[in-house]
Amino acid sequence: MTAPHPARTGGQVLIDQLVVHGVDTVYGVPGESYLAALDALHDSAVRMVVCRHEGGAAYMAEAHGKLTGRPGVCFTTRGPGATNALVALHTAHQDATPLVLFIGLVPRGHADRAAFQELDLRGTFGASAKLVETIDDAARIPEHVARAFAVASSGRPGPVVLGLPEDMLTDTTRVADAIPLPIPDGAVSPGELVALSDLLSDAERPLVLLGGSRWTPRARSDVRDWAEAWSLPVAVDFRCQDLIDNEAETYVGHLGYGRDDALADRVRAADLLLCVGTAPGDVATDGYALLPHDGTGPRLVQVLPEAQPPGVLHPAALTVLAAPEAFGAAIRTLRPSAPVRWAVRTKQDRAAHLAFRTPEPDGDLLDLGAVFAALDARLPADAVVTFGAGNHAIWAQRFLRYREGGRQLAPRNGSMGYGIPAAVAAALAHPGRRVVSVAGDGCFLMNGQELATAVAEGAAPLILVLDNSAYGTIRQHQEQTYPGRVSGTALGNPDFAAYARAFGAHGETVTTTAEFGPALERALNCGRAALIELKVTEGRLAPGVTVASLREESAHV
């Protein structure tokens, strides 16, 4: 006779399911609505990282999902706490990141009575989540959690929201733990391999585009080997620079904001575009302008873990339903039967990329190109680099190399405030790795308070704050459209170095190029979280772009 399962509260059952699913860290802000779960965490092996804002906590969970490939987990309370986390759900939704958000809710008997902090869970989160459910019965917690983790990880990954009524978590039940559900990888059929080989044999100007999620070290290695065997030029989608070692001889750069004009021309000239893990979306194609819509563009190979991306604009000649690792395993031994026609062009594309990523002196008192070249030379190959949204990220995208084992954590949905929480999560997940976050002054102060979390948890990321006293991206657009009419883009900033020191982090300010090297060494060797404020020369907005240069261009239009 099978022994009965022990009686457990709903809160204990919930935390036990996290253990079963391999969760070792959760991020959150406490709330009275899920006290029973917090109590169960007290004696659990699961680490609770207590954050200062739900947006920061959810960003940390999203970054954890990007870094590990497994769902990041965040806990928030109801109402304002839950809606503060919505920004990270949008990021996870657009970036295809596995994430599970647990939200404490009002007691079941208070529902639909406009109770304190009550919210419509599906109405609030349904547009940004793959699945939204409320667990009304403690006995069904294992079922709901197993489904949540599977949905978050399957197909095109994304966020899942589970509501936890306060009184449900205090109910007692006898129920078995769930077994994690398998995540299908798809496959490449023999016929699809033949079709792919035929398309390559017919091509003269092929280009590979890598992007999306569900990439593993094995997938990266196999796809790189395949591309090198065929001398295929490899570009990456926006903020996907860690999908291939940037030192690979076939890597030719990144598309999206801050990309090289030469690479855009390469896309226009392609007669075969092989997209692995991503579709040719608006950011990669300059608002759909790089590829024609009338069927005269390149033949498209689409490799995705789901049937089709949303809003398909360019129909594929070949569609393969497979995650990157399954695709890589299938093409690992696929080799050309004769020398390829585009090998010389691939070398030319590579040379153009190397020229683009080499900084040129800009004459500024603080030369940011030289700063990032020095940083790149100092970082180990497995460094994790994080940043949010804004022109400040262009230096990190253009002048830092993402080598074998290195990672780039950045929001593809253009979400400000992401870089600092992501750096904290990365430093906690991999305390032995160097983690660097590049932040603009506007982006930093959207979640700079999470420095307190870093110090409290012993995380030691290095943060570079580019201080140009402006929302630089919008200022650039403003100067291009309404030159000289500055409105709504100027910032009044604190002393960022003093701000960092107030939290117990190392902090200092750099105003000249010569000061950066010594400051970098002090920050890297201080043994705790560190911040270097970079006083950007007045008027500098991006590499090769100043307010003066934009106004001069406008004067000649």
Side-chain angles (χ1 to χ4, degrees):
M1 183 176 179
T2 304
H5 299 291
R8 294 177 287 177
T9 66
Q12 186 64 59
V13 174
L14 176 64
I15 302 307
D16 287 348
Q17 303 321 296
L18 299 186
V19 174
V20 167
H21 283 79
V23 176
D24 55 19
T25 305
V26 300
Y27 306 88
V29 176
E32 69 273 21
S33 59
Y34 68 97
L35 283 177
L38 287 171
D39 182 69
L41 282 167
H42 183 275
D43 298 320
S44 169
V46 178
R47 179 183 191 178
M48 171 74 171
V49 177
V50 181
C51 305
R52 295 309 183 97
H53 189 273
E54 291 88 357
Y59 274 144
M60 289 185 199
E62 198 277 348
H64 189 101
K66 272 194 175 84
L67 188 61
T68 65
R70 302 185 302 274
V73 177
C74 180
F75 278 84
T76 76
T77 194
R78 60 206 181 206
T83 52
N84 278 342
L86 184 55
V87 62
L89 255 72
H90 185 268
T91 302
H93 178 66
Q94 289 219 330
D95 289 23
T97 305
L99 172 69
V100 178
L101 175 65
F102 292 101
I103 299 175
L105 299 179
V106 300
R108 288 165 291 187
H110 296 184
D112 303 319
R113 291 176 173 172
F116 179 64
Q117 296 185 337
E118 184 182 4
L119 81 165
D120 177 351
L121 207 65
R122 284 194 173 92
T124 302
F125 296 100
S128 297
K130 293 182 70 177
L131 178 69
V132 180
E133 293 184 336
T134 296
I135 309 177
D136 287 321
D137 181 355
R140 295 187 62 186
I141 290 175
E143 169 195 343
H144 280 279
V145 172
R147 180 163 58 246
F149 274 74
V151 170
S153 302
S154 297
R156 183 182 187 274
V160 170
V161 176
L162 287 183
L164 310 171
E166 182 178 345
D167 56 331
M168 182 277 296
L169 291 174
T170 60
D171 283 351
T172 300
T173 186
R174 295 180 183 273
V175 63
D177 293 331
I179 298 174
L181 300 173
I183 309 301
D185 282 336
V188 185
S189 71
E192 288 167 340
L193 278 177
V194 171
L196 176 61
S197 184
D198 289 344
L199 286 166
L200 283 167
S201 297
D202 291 340
E204 295 184 357
R205 300 176 304 281
L207 178 66
V208 176
L209 176 63
L210 309 182
S213 59
R214 295 190 65 175
W215 287 84
T216 64
R218 180 63 181 269
R220 291 177 174 88
S221 176
D222 285 343
V223 170
R224 175 184 175 177
D225 289 347
W226 165 71
E228 289 180 339
W230 288 81
S231 295
L232 287 166
V234 178
V236 294
D237 206 345
F238 184 52
R239 296 182 166 176
C240 293
Q241 288 164 265
D242 59 353
L243 296 187
I244 184 170
D245 187 339
N246 292 185
E247 295 302 278
E249 288 302 313
T250 55
Y251 175 65
V252 298
H254 70 277
L255 291 169
Y257 306 120
R259 55 100 181 113
D260 184 9
D261 288 342
L263 184 56
D265 291 339
R266 185 68 179 84
V267 175
R268 293 187 186 96
D271 64 353
L272 178 64
L273 184 61
L274 303 108
C275 299
V276 183
T278 188
D282 64 318
V283 176
T285 62
D286 291 5
Y288 306 111
L290 295 184
L291 299 177
H293 308 161
D294 58 2
T296 62
R299 304 184 78 180
L300 177 66
V301 174
Q302 187 70 74
V303 182
L304 288 169
E306 63 177 2
Q308 288 290 353
V312 177
L313 185 61
H314 305 286
L318 173 63
T319 298
V320 178
L321 189 62
E325 183 164 300
F327 178 72
I331 62 171
R332 184 184 306 146
T333 59
L334 190 63
R335 296 293 184 266
S337 58
V340 297
R341 294 183 287 274
W342 53 80
V344 171
R345 184 171 185 136
T346 299
K347 291 181 179 179
Q348 294 170 343
D349 294 339
R350 173 67 179 171
H353 166 67
L354 292 177
F356 178 71
R357 82 179 191 193
T358 302
E360 295 182 0
D362 59 21
D364 291 349
L365 186 63
L366 179 61
D367 187 327
L368 289 176
V371 163
F372 278 85
L375 176 63
D376 182 66
R378 187 64 176 80
L379 291 181
D382 69 344
V384 180
V385 179
T386 79
F387 42 87
N391 273 17
H392 66 273
I394 296 177
W395 280 276
Q397 292 171 186
R398 182 169 172 178
F399 300 129
L400 296 183
R401 292 169 297 163
Y402 299 88
R403 291 167 286 172
E404 190 70 37
R407 295 302 308 272
Q408 181 184 74
L409 303 182
R412 297 165 201 154
N413 73 329
S415 187
M416 294 181 70
Y418 178 91
I420 306 307
V424 175
L428 291 174
H430 295 290
R433 293 173 72 173
R434 179 63 65 191
V435 178
V436 177
S437 184
V438 180
D441 43 4
C443 193
F444 174 81
L445 278 180
M446 290 194 177
N447 271 310
Q449 77 283 343
E450 298 303 344
L451 261 177
T453 304
V455 172
E457 295 288 341
L462 167 62
I463 301 165
L464 303 182
V465 179
L466 280 62
D467 178 2
N468 65 354
S469 298
Y471 284 120
T473 305
I474 311 307
R475 178 67 182 277
Q476 180 172 340
H477 288 299
Q478 191 171 65
E479 291 290 351
Q480 290 169 326
T481 309
Y482 303 103
R485 296 177 58 81
V486 182
S487 176
T489 53
L491 294 174
N493 287 328
D495 181 334
F496 288 105
Y499 180 92
R501 292 193 296 269
F503 286 109
H506 173 86
E508 56 184 294
T509 301
V510 166
T511 59
T512 69
T513 307
E515 294 172 351
F516 178 71
L520 177 63
E521 291 305 316
R522 289 189 292 270
L524 291 177
N525 294 315
C526 73
R528 62 187 191 276
L531 182 149
I532 300 176
E533 178 182 3
L534 301 173
K535 286 288 190 181
V536 178
T537 302
E538 185 176 357
R540 174 63 59 188
L541 295 176
V545 179
T546 64
V547 170
S549 70
L550 293 173
R551 290 182 180 178
E552 184 178 352
E553 289 176 10
S554 298
H556 290 89
V557 173

